[in-house]
Amino acid sequence: MSDKKVSRPCHHCKNRSASAPTDTSKIHYEKFWLYRHCSSVQQRDRQAQKAGQLFSALLAMNVVFLGSAFISSMIFNQVAITLADVWILLSILKVLCMFWIIYYLLGTSRQPHAVLYRDSHAGAIWIRGSVLLFGMCSILLNVFQIGYSTILIHCKSRVEIVFPSIGILFICTQAYFLWHHSKDCIQVQHNFTRCGLMLTIATNLLLWLLAVTNDTLHVEIESQLREVERRFAGKAPSSHPHWCNETTLCTCPNTTICKVFQKGYILLYPFNTEYCLVCCSVLYVMWKNVGRRISHHHVPHTKPKFKLQGVVFGPLLGTAAVIIGACIFMMYQIQATSLAPSQQVFVIYYSYYVVLLPLMSVGAVIGTIIHALEKKELDTLKNPTRSLDVVLLMGAALGQIGMSYFSIVALVATDPRDLLNSLILSYSVLLIFQNITQNVFVIDGLHRRRTPPGKDEDTKEEQNRDAYSQRRVSVLELGQEIRKASLSYIHTYSHLSWKRRVLREISFFLVLCNIILWVMPTFGAHPIFENGMERSFYGYSTWFVIVNFGLPLGVFYRMHSVGGLLEVYVTA
């Protein structure tokens, strides 16, 4: 595998990185030994690109299968393969990924004409911001794990300290790499870069899989303890498999610092799964952009910015939904963590969803109808970022949709006339409909061409900004400035077309609703498992597998929907 350099005049000066000279730019065509007899250089380049993607994907597939075999063996046969063995394998993969990232930062990206193009659609600010946010939470998670293992060093393996230490270095290196290079369309060392990206994707997928299984074991232990406490309280036990009680040799001492490490670890654990999924999505776009040459038609002439103008009712309704949801979430968390959570808590929780989900569905349907009424052309240009957004939205929605269908079957087969069961049944049906309608609205909006802002409006804003910065604002002038800003906001709102106005209202409302629906399951509200109905119907282990694979996908769907809806809001 090698790259062939062919010099020719550059016709993409606008797309080239700042470091690339205008008169000496070169395009590095790919060359693969299987297609060395192709007559056309362009045809050989296309075939070599497909071969490079195939071989790098095969590398990732083998790494994922190997890691999955280790993790599965650890779950089903803890004697032969232990958790420490899995940590050692993942530590080796992390070190290899860090070596490649450092080589990319110091070597590949600094070669002449390495980054001639940058994908303006890749690495949106909220995606990179989520990488940093979840990365910082994952770093704190590893710090708490190191502190907890250090306190219990007399009964824990040293691998439990080494693994999170390597994890901190890996998270910092990867976050820096994605923040600065997520838009790169690398033009040199194509196959080596593809293999490095795919190895990093496979490592993040295995970390996500391990996090899901570890979270499963943690919740199982917590549920067992709650079941034992119910038995000692003289209550009827719930149906669950037989568990072998072993003497706990490693218990947290009754000290404040140990309790802080333990609670912090439990609180921050969900962010680690989201960090792995977000990194995989960004890395996949970079993998698709290796060797990509962007024409001037792909570069937007104006880059729309997020402005909180032209929306009134969307923020108001969305803020109300967030406040009410936060109150219900706190009330649920306080009562559901007790030994005997009342049925009223579940009724209130599901009633909130039964009211909110239809509003979100109606808004998405109205937005889709407005998209159909618009005379805006569809953007049919090749866009790996948008294609990935569509795949992630459709794939992540399968988590919630799958759990909902399992709940529907269990409820219909038992007693759907009970108040709580009828609410859960309504919630499951509405959740399926809401996921479908929101996906249609977001995907249709992502394929619409951007609406360029009016020149007069931009000129007025720039003049007002310049005038404001050139003079001092006294205390008396402050009130006048606030009044002018309010009048300007009303003027902008009234001059928007009714279609753009409604689209912005709906998009902003859905953004806030998806945020609260992301916060509630992320921070521990899992009534779909704790209400016990589906668990008793399918069995403890089966339902646990369904929930722990579907719930992280549902959380990721809400977070990714926020990014898609913000894109729809900006382009409206």
Side-chain angles (χ1 to χ4, degrees):
M1 302 181 187
S2 60
D3 298 331
K4 181 180 179 181
K5 300 181 181 180
V6 178
S7 302
R8 72 175 189 180
C10 178
H11 301 287
H12 309 290
C13 297
K14 294 181 180 179
N15 305 328
R16 203 168 46 243
S17 62
S19 61
T22 305
D23 53 348
T24 61
S25 63
K26 296 180 180 180
I27 294 178
H28 295 247
Y29 285 106
E30 296 187 56
K31 186 178 180 180
F32 198 76
W33 63 273
L34 287 174
Y35 308 103
R36 61 187 181 275
H37 298 300
C38 293
S39 57
S40 173
V41 176
Q42 287 79 8
Q43 183 181 1
R44 184 169 61 226
D45 176 74
R46 287 193 298 268
Q47 296 298 330
Q49 183 176 4
K50 293 179 181 179
Q53 291 178 346
L54 174 62
F55 277 90
S56 59
L58 288 174
L59 171 65
M61 183 184 70
N62 282 275
V63 173
V64 170
F65 280 151
L66 175 62
S68 300
F70 263 77
I71 295 174
S72 300
S73 301
M74 181 265 296
I75 295 174
F76 298 110
N77 190 352
Q78 297 184 4
V79 178
I81 302 294
T82 62
L83 182 60
D85 298 326
V86 178
W87 281 343
I88 292 173
L89 174 65
L90 291 177
S91 298
I92 295 173
L93 293 176
K94 287 180 180 180
V95 171
L96 291 176
C97 291
M98 284 192 291
F99 280 147
W100 172 78
I101 292 175
I102 293 172
Y103 177 79
Y104 181 93
L105 295 175
L106 302 180
T108 304
S109 62
R110 296 190 179 187
Q111 288 192 13
H113 324 297
V115 186
L116 297 176
Y117 314 95
R118 291 178 67 84
D119 187 358
S120 60
H121 299 282
I125 186 63
W126 46 80
I127 296 295
R128 290 182 293 154
S130 61
V131 169
L132 291 183
L133 174 62
F134 297 148
M136 288 187 292
C137 294
S138 299
I139 290 173
L140 288 176
L141 173 71
N142 287 304
V143 170
F144 287 144
Q145 184 177 1
I146 293 172
Y148 183 72
S149 301
T150 303
I151 294 177
L152 302 175
I153 191 62
H154 62 280
C155 58
K156 287 187 174 291
S157 171
R158 307 218 178 242
V159 181
E160 299 189 37
I161 299 178
V162 176
F163 179 73
S165 301
I166 297 176
I168 293 176
L169 297 177
F170 176 71
I171 292 170
C172 294
T173 306
Q174 183 174 245
Y176 178 86
F177 168 66
L178 295 180
W179 179 264
H180 290 280
H181 296 275
S182 59
K183 297 178 180 291
D184 288 0
C185 298
I186 199 71
Q187 301 296 320
V188 296
Q189 299 181 355
H190 304 87
N191 294 312
F192 186 67
T193 303
R194 288 193 184 100
C195 291
L197 289 169
M198 270 298 168
L199 179 64
T200 312
I201 291 174
T203 303
N204 281 280
L205 285 176
L206 291 176
L207 289 172
W208 171 77
L209 182 60
L210 179 63
V212 170
T213 54
N214 267 355
D215 189 41
T216 301
L217 297 175
H218 165 72
V219 179
E220 282 182 3
I221 293 172
E222 187 177 348
S223 299
Q224 294 171 44
L225 293 176
R226 186 177 299 176
E227 197 71 31
V228 171
E229 289 170 344
R230 285 199 185 101
R231 288 183 176 182
F232 279 112
K235 300 194 175 186
S238 302
S239 61
H240 58 82
H242 175 71
W243 301 99
C244 297
N245 295 323
E246 297 181 356
T247 305
T248 304
L249 299 177
C250 247
T251 56
C252 188
N254 192 17
T255 57
T256 304
I257 186 65
C258 187
K259 297 296 182 182
V260 169
F261 286 147
Q262 193 177 50
K263 295 297 182 182
Y265 182 84
I266 296 174
L267 179 64
L268 295 172
Y269 198 90
F271 292 98
N272 189 33
T273 59
E274 301 307 312
Y275 172 76
C276 296
L277 292 176
V278 174
C279 288
C280 285
S281 64
V282 180
L283 289 165
Y284 176 79
V285 174
M286 293 186 64
W287 178 76
K288 293 290 289 185
N289 280 333
V290 173
R292 183 186 177 199
R293 291 180 284 277
I294 305 175
S295 64
H296 66 279
H297 301 289
H298 288 72
V299 181
H301 298 287
T302 57
K303 186 177 181 180
K305 298 180 180 180
F306 179 81
K307 297 178 181 179
L308 193 60
Q309 290 185 349
V311 287
V312 175
F313 301 104
L316 292 178
L317 293 176
T319 303
V322 170
I323 294 175
I324 296 173
C327 295
I328 294 176
F329 168 71
M330 289 186 291
M331 181 178 64
Y332 174 84
Q333 284 297 105
I334 293 173
Q335 297 192 24
T337 52
S338 62
L339 295 181
S342 62
Q343 186 179 11
Q344 184 181 4
V345 180
F346 295 108
V347 170
I348 296 175
Y349 185 90
Y350 282 109
S351 298
Y352 171 75
Y353 273 87
V354 169
V355 174
L356 183 62
L357 291 176
L359 295 178
M360 297 174 65
S361 302
V362 170
V365 171
I366 294 174
T368 305
I369 295 174
I370 293 177
H371 276 155
L373 296 176
E374 279 188 317
K375 297 181 180 179
K376 190 185 297 185
E377 295 183 2
L378 293 177
D379 187 2
T380 57
L381 296 175
K382 183 181 179 181
N383 188 339
T385 305
R386 183 176 58 205
S387 301
L388 178 64
D389 287 338
V390 173
V391 172
L392 289 178
L393 284 173
M394 299 297 294
L398 296 178
Q400 290 184 325
I401 292 176
M403 287 193 300
S404 297
Y405 276 116
F406 278 104
S407 296
I408 290 172
V409 172
L411 288 162
V412 173
T414 52
D415 186 15
R417 291 173 294 180
D418 181 71
L419 175 61
L420 180 58
N421 289 351
S422 61
L423 282 175
I424 300 176
L425 180 63
S426 302
Y427 158 79
S428 301
V429 174
L430 291 172
L431 187 62
I432 295 173
F433 186 70
Q434 192 275 326
N435 276 263
I436 295 174
T437 54
Q438 181 171 278
N439 277 350
V440 173
F441 172 63
V442 174
I443 292 172
D444 193 26
L446 292 176
H447 283 83
R448 299 285 170 173
R449 290 188 181 273
R450 297 178 182 269
T451 302
K455 294 182 179 180
D456 296 336
E457 180 181 339
D458 289 346
T459 304
K460 288 181 180 179
E461 290 182 2
E462 291 178 0
Q463 291 176 353
N464 292 336
R465 195 182 300 113
D466 293 339
Y468 183 81
S469 60
Q470 288 175 0
R471 71 176 186 270
R472 283 185 170 180
V473 181
S474 63
V475 178
L476 296 177
E477 290 174 334
L478 183 59
Q480 297 178 358
E481 293 296 333
I482 295 175
R483 182 172 176 272
K484 289 180 180 180
S486 302
L487 293 175
S488 175
Y489 183 90
I490 297 173
H491 176 78
T492 304
Y493 182 80
S494 61
H495 279 68
L496 283 174
S497 65
W498 69 272
K499 294 178 183 178
R500 292 182 62 190
R501 190 186 311 167
V502 174
L503 283 177
R504 287 195 168 193
E505 299 280 9
I506 293 173
S507 301
F508 206 91
F509 170 70
L510 291 178
V511 165
L512 294 177
C513 290
N514 278 275
I515 288 175
I516 188 61
L517 295 185
W518 168 76
V519 169
M520 295 174 77
T522 299
F523 287 94
H526 302 148
I528 196 169
F529 181 80
E530 293 173 349
N531 66 66
M533 196 281 303
E534 296 95 338
R535 182 177 57 185
S536 61
F537 182 83
Y538 289 106
Y540 197 96
S541 301
T542 303
W543 185 240
F544 232 117
V545 172
I546 296 173
V547 170
N548 279 274
F549 276 94
L551 193 62
L553 288 177
V555 173
F556 180 74
Y557 171 76
R558 292 300 174 188
M559 186 201 66
H560 197 72
S561 296
V562 172
L565 289 165
L566 286 174
E567 183 73 16
V568 174
Y569 173 85
V570 169
T571 56

